[in-house]
Amino acid sequence: MEKKPYFVRREFLPREVSFISLALLLAAVLLLNALLYLYLNKFYNSLGRVETDPGLCPFGHFRLGAVKNCSPWLSCEAINREVRKLKCVGEGAVKKVFLSEWKEKKVVLSQLTNSELKEDFLHGLKMLKALQSKHVVRLLGYCEQQFTILTEYHPLGSLRGLNETLHIPKYKGMNTWHRRLMLAIDYVSIIRFLHSSPLGTLVMCDSNDLDKVLSQYLLTSDFHVLVNDLDALPLVNRSAGRLVKCGHRELQGEFVAPEQRWPYGEDVPFEDDLMPPYDEKTDIWKIPDVSNFFLGHVEGSDIVRLHLFDIHAACKKKDPAERPSAQEVLDTYRKVLTLLIREAAMPGAREML
């Protein structure tokens, strides 16, 4: 009996192996996406500056450091009795700032220096009280009669020292495109918060140049951004026809928005009464310049700038009505962060598929 030849169908083995490899790759991509989702969800809800914070104390109270219980804001009497000035650490047009001590904890004491600007000082205090959140420096107490405000101390200081801080050996590991973009997201989150605050649409008026903007914000020890100075925060109310003007002097330079500049040419002397008011879109105009500072010149920062090019171009539209809202800018920043983290975590995955 003649034996039939036995054929091994080897041509199917490579295809089967290829199918298994593809399946494993797809599974890895799905797992990576799940891990990225968990990471980013944690970032937005715990590290990102969300509006609602279960750790915040009730209105009129604060919690400092690792202390679990909330304490009422310190009164004039308590500030005078319990707070000790250590040294002056800064002085602006409105107030002088002292590093101080309260119950062996470092705090910041701010005092009015120019009586002609007491309305600005009291406005800043009003804003500080009303806007307490994860976006705003923590208020510890105040004394209106003595024009004194007590706030939490952040040793890294204002954002003006960001680049110097990132060159300190202890913080060099933070000097990455990823961490810098997260700081920019914090900043835009604050602008979004101010534009949709419990008080209404607020405009950050102390922002006529980059250095002035950076001085208004603090860098926390866990590398987040807080707004610190709220003295110049006027309210836009479109339904009531109320727009704003940032001060009574002529503003110049490319940093301020076009609508903040004198529109009648050099031949017409500046008059505050003739200067048209404007809205919160002036803050949007400045976002690209502030974010450019945040991104710096580290490896990967130019790739981030490339991904943000379109939204930044929209922020620089001459017509304020054509600029995006702070929420739209924030959404774009978050999408770019998600995309770049995914690409950094699994380079070449797209080509493999």
Side-chain angles (χ1 to χ4, degrees):
M1 183 175 176
E2 186 178 352
K3 291 184 180 181
K4 293 182 179 179
Y6 179 72
F7 295 103
V8 178
R9 304 187 65 178
R10 298 181 183 275
E11 69 272 15
F12 286 97
L13 288 178
R15 193 174 300 173
E16 291 172 0
V17 172
S18 176
F19 176 79
I20 293 171
S21 300
L22 182 60
L24 289 173
L25 179 60
L26 288 172
V29 171
L30 291 173
L31 177 61
L32 176 63
N33 284 334
L35 292 173
L36 281 171
Y37 172 81
L38 293 173
Y39 168 78
L40 291 169
N41 187 60
K42 180 181 179 183
F43 162 63
Y44 293 139
N45 291 305
S46 134
L47 296 180
R49 310 318 253 179
V50 293
E51 269 57 86
T52 56
D53 175 18
L56 284 176
C57 293
F59 181 80
H61 294 73
F62 70 92
R63 178 167 46 225
L64 198 58
V67 177
K68 292 184 178 180
N69 297 326
C70 294
S71 302
W73 286 336
L74 300 186
S75 63
C76 296
E77 181 184 359
I79 291 174
N80 291 333
R81 184 181 65 250
E82 302 172 14
V83 176
R84 181 170 64 95
K85 292 180 184 177
L86 299 178
K87 63 177 179 178
C88 179
V89 292
E91 183 173 2
V94 178
K95 53 186 177 286
K96 186 178 287 188
V97 180
F98 297 89
L99 175 63
S100 305
E101 192 174 58
W102 175 72
K103 293 187 176 180
E104 299 183 348
K105 296 182 178 67
K106 286 186 171 61
V107 293
V108 173
L109 188 72
S110 302
Q111 292 185 315
L112 178 69
T113 55
N114 186 346
S115 59
E116 294 181 0
L117 298 175
K118 63 182 180 181
E119 293 303 320
D120 290 348
F121 184 91
L122 293 175
H123 176 75
L125 174 58
K126 177 185 175 182
M127 295 293 104
L128 197 55
K129 290 193 289 185
L131 299 176
Q132 284 295 289
S133 68
K134 294 188 75 173
H135 299 286
V136 179
V137 69
R138 188 169 299 163
L139 178 64
L140 308 181
Y142 62 91
C143 180
E144 287 193 34
Q145 297 93 316
Q146 298 174 8
F147 298 99
T148 300
I149 299 174
L150 193 70
T151 54
E152 187 175 14
Y153 171 63
H154 292 278
L156 295 183
S158 79
L159 287 176
R160 285 190 294 190
L162 174 63
N163 289 324
E164 289 76 12
T165 298
L166 289 171
H167 283 95
I168 297 173
K170 179 181 177 181
Y171 299 111
K172 278 190 175 180
M174 296 287 194
N175 197 16
T176 64
W177 70 262
H178 172 234
R179 179 59 64 172
R180 283 176 171 271
L181 178 55
M182 288 168 67
L183 291 174
I185 288 174
D186 272 356
Y187 166 72
V188 177
S189 296
I190 292 171
I191 299 299
R192 190 276 311 269
F193 172 69
L194 295 177
H195 288 185
S196 56
S197 82
L199 302 177
T201 302
L202 299 168
V203 182
M204 194 66 176
C205 266
D206 259 343
S207 55
N208 298 335
D209 57 64
L210 179 61
D211 192 65
K212 186 64 174 175
V213 171
L214 299 176
S215 71
Q216 309 301 304
Y217 297 87
L218 295 172
L219 180 65
T220 68
S221 297
D222 61 347
F223 268 71
H224 282 293
V225 178
L226 295 174
V227 63
N228 180 53
D229 196 331
L230 303 174
D231 294 346
L233 211 61
L235 178 69
V236 169
N237 188 339
R238 284 191 184 82
S239 60
R242 183 193 300 167
L243 299 177
V244 304
K245 287 191 286 188
C246 291
H248 304 287
R249 298 179 180 179
E250 183 177 1
L251 301 179
Q252 297 177 324
E254 292 298 315
F255 188 83
V256 297
E259 63 271 22
Q260 292 184 280
R261 303 173 210 152
W262 179 243
Y264 303 117
E266 295 179 359
D267 295 335
V268 181
F270 177 82
E271 287 188 40
D272 183 45
D273 291 340
L274 298 178
M275 180 67 199
Y278 34 83
D279 62 18
E280 76 280 2
K281 289 300 184 72
T282 58
D283 289 334
I284 304 300
W285 171 274
K286 298 160 189 173
I287 286 176
D289 299 293
V290 180
S291 289
N292 187 53
F293 168 81
F294 277 121
L295 293 175
H297 300 285
V298 297
E299 182 180 356
S301 62
D302 286 341
I303 298 297
V304 179
R305 287 186 179 90
L306 183 62
H307 281 81
L308 295 176
F309 180 85
D310 288 342
I311 192 68
H312 283 173
C315 291
K316 290 293 188 180
K317 293 280 189 181
K318 187 173 182 179
D319 182 355
E322 294 181 5
R323 295 174 204 153
S325 66
Q327 182 65 61
E328 290 171 322
V329 179
L330 180 59
D331 290 342
T332 302
Y333 274 41
R334 286 175 168 172
K335 287 176 184 176
V336 168
L337 176 65
T338 303
L339 172 67
L340 292 178
I341 289 177
R342 182 181 290 122
E343 290 183 351
M346 200 165 184
R350 189 177 301 166
E351 289 79 2
M352 293 170 67
L353 289 171

